[in-house]
Amino acid sequence: MSSALADLCRFPIVQAPMAGGASCPQLAAAVSEAGGLGFLAAGYKTADGMYQEVKRIRGLTAQPFGVNLFMPQPNTADSAAVEVYRHQLAGEAAWYETPIGDPDSGRDDGYEAKLAILLDDPVPVVSFTFGCPTRDVLDSFSKAGTFTVVTVTTPEEAQAAQWAGADAVCVQGIEAGGHQGTHRDDPAADGAGVGLLTLVALVHESVQLPVIAAGGLMRGGQIAGTLAAGAAAAQLGTAFLVCPESGANALHKQAMTNPLFVRTEITRAFSGRPARGLVNRFMREHGPYAPAAYPQVHHMTSSLRKAAAKAGDAQGMALWAGQGHRLARELPAGHLVDVLVAETDSARAALAPGGSR
């Protein structure tokens, strides 16, 4: 690992910030206590909700941890397409007996208020998704002693993050579960992302920043592969989603290894932005028609997804998952970190000159 990352965690393992409840204080604290780097997901939370979770994690661990923020999004959605999609969702609203949410509930996710809190009461790490902050913002965090990470999906995005002053980049391959962290939402590029190992190598040669690899990683052997390709650490989301400390819905956890869900796809059905999840009824029926309209579609489907979860219907939920979801292991988070470290060490030893294969 780079010296800066080594100061933040003993092992090159980062728990991905998974918005929607999975990345709660208990999970982040357990990962950090075990020597990894735990993350809170501030996305979809109010600024005060984020602050309360930061206070809770500080009560659970004295180890470094991170907070992830969603960048505000430009208003590029076609209002007519949003309205057409609202009508298409009418059957879901009737089935779950819940109203469709207001698409205009907000686009900035409380970004400025969250920045103010994190600059006033700094945390060890702050990462950003769906874009790159300004140089002024990143400089302010640097002065506060906060290590900053920008999620990128191309070498060009990584170069922009380096120019803006980020301390590291999280390189997200097409295999990753949940939202693709692209800086520009281009429908023409849906599904055209690059695989993680190739992308890590491309970014590693494009910037002079530590690279954190993310996308479908579930085993230590895969982590070792990303480290060999030039990554300083690996970020895992789906692997930690099924841990008992995770705040993910029980139906979501069970779906990871449920033979009923055989594959993942990238869809806009639930949020209007490309995201990888388990293929279910909602995705099949609405994915082909969902407009490029984030966060409007997210706001519209939020009540439907919550109603489906309350009804115990996984077919109506957003079951975000990476391509390696079938390899999920229901272990306590600290134990999972230990297992991953042992697997990574074993794989790296086998890859070393003279190592046994």
Side-chain angles (χ1 to χ4, degrees):
M1 283 191 292
S2 71
S3 59
L5 279 173
D7 290 340
L8 295 166
C9 49
R10 284 183 289 137
F11 306 120
I13 294 174
V14 179
Q15 166 248 311
M18 296 170 281
S23 297
C24 58
Q26 293 82 356
L27 177 62
V31 172
S32 289
E33 280 289 298
L37 181 63
F39 256 94
L40 294 173
Y44 307 140
K45 294 185 176 71
T46 63
D48 182 64
M50 176 198 75
Y51 179 60
Q52 296 304 322
E53 289 206 342
V54 168
K55 289 204 299 185
R56 283 200 289 275
I57 193 173
R58 283 174 169 153
L60 294 171
T61 182
Q63 300 301 315
F65 63 93
V67 175
N68 175 257
L69 302 180
F70 284 171
M71 294 295 298
Q73 299 298 290
N75 186 18
T76 57
D78 181 340
S79 58
V82 171
E83 187 60 24
V84 169
Y85 196 57
R86 172 194 279 277
H87 286 297
Q88 182 175 335
L89 295 174
E92 301 286 343
W95 177 257
Y96 291 116
E97 299 181 337
T98 192
I100 295 170
D102 178 6
D104 298 316
S105 297
R107 288 194 302 274
D108 69 356
D109 201 51
Y111 178 72
E112 293 294 340
K114 291 171 182 175
L115 285 183
I117 289 172
L118 294 171
L119 286 169
D120 181 63
D121 189 6
V123 299
V125 186
V126 172
S127 69
F128 301 87
T129 301
F130 300 153
C132 183
T134 64
R135 176 174 286 276
D136 286 346
V137 167
L138 292 172
D139 284 348
S140 295
F141 277 114
S142 180
K143 291 173 183 174
T146 296
F147 188 86
T148 54
V149 183
V150 173
T151 303
V152 302
T153 61
T154 66
E156 293 75 21
E157 291 175 353
Q159 290 166 347
Q162 177 173 263
W163 181 89
D167 293 313
V169 288
C170 178
V171 174
Q172 185 192 48
I174 193 69
E175 305 94 333
H179 284 93
Q180 298 287 298
T182 52
H183 293 190
R184 179 172 171 267
D185 186 9
D186 179 6
D190 282 6
V194 179
L196 181 59
L197 285 179
T198 298
L199 188 58
V200 165
L202 288 169
V203 171
H204 181 61
E205 294 192 6
S206 299
V207 298
Q208 304 300 311
L209 294 176
V211 168
I212 300 170
L217 304 175
M218 304 293 288
R219 294 286 189 267
Q222 294 172 295
I223 294 173
T226 65
L227 299 178
Q235 180 173 286
L236 294 81
T238 304
F240 285 107
L241 186 141
V242 299
C243 294
E245 297 92 342
S246 160
N249 185 284
L251 291 171
H252 193 171
K253 293 182 179 184
Q254 293 162 8
M256 293 301 103
T257 52
N258 185 335
L260 184 64
F261 301 103
V262 297
R263 60 192 174 89
T264 65
E265 280 186 9
I266 292 178
T267 186
R268 292 179 181 268
F270 298 102
S271 73
R273 224 181 192 276
R276 183 177 295 281
L278 298 175
V279 177
N280 61 3
R281 178 194 59 78
F282 194 105
M283 190 188 294
R284 286 192 298 269
E285 292 183 1
H286 301 293
Y289 312 104
Y294 175 89
Q296 290 90 339
V297 172
H298 162 76
H299 293 316
M300 285 197 298
T301 67
S302 178
S303 57
L304 302 176
R305 289 178 277 126
K306 289 175 182 175
K310 186 176 180 180
D313 182 10
Q315 295 294 339
M317 297 169 60
L319 303 174
W320 304 137
Q323 288 185 336
H325 65 94
R326 302 288 298 202
L327 297 172
R329 297 175 285 200
E330 194 176 341
L331 300 172
H335 185 195
L336 179 57
V337 171
D338 292 341
V339 170
L340 290 169
V341 169
E343 291 175 346
T344 303
D345 288 347
S346 177
R348 296 184 81 180
L351 290 171
S356 59
R357 285 177 167 79

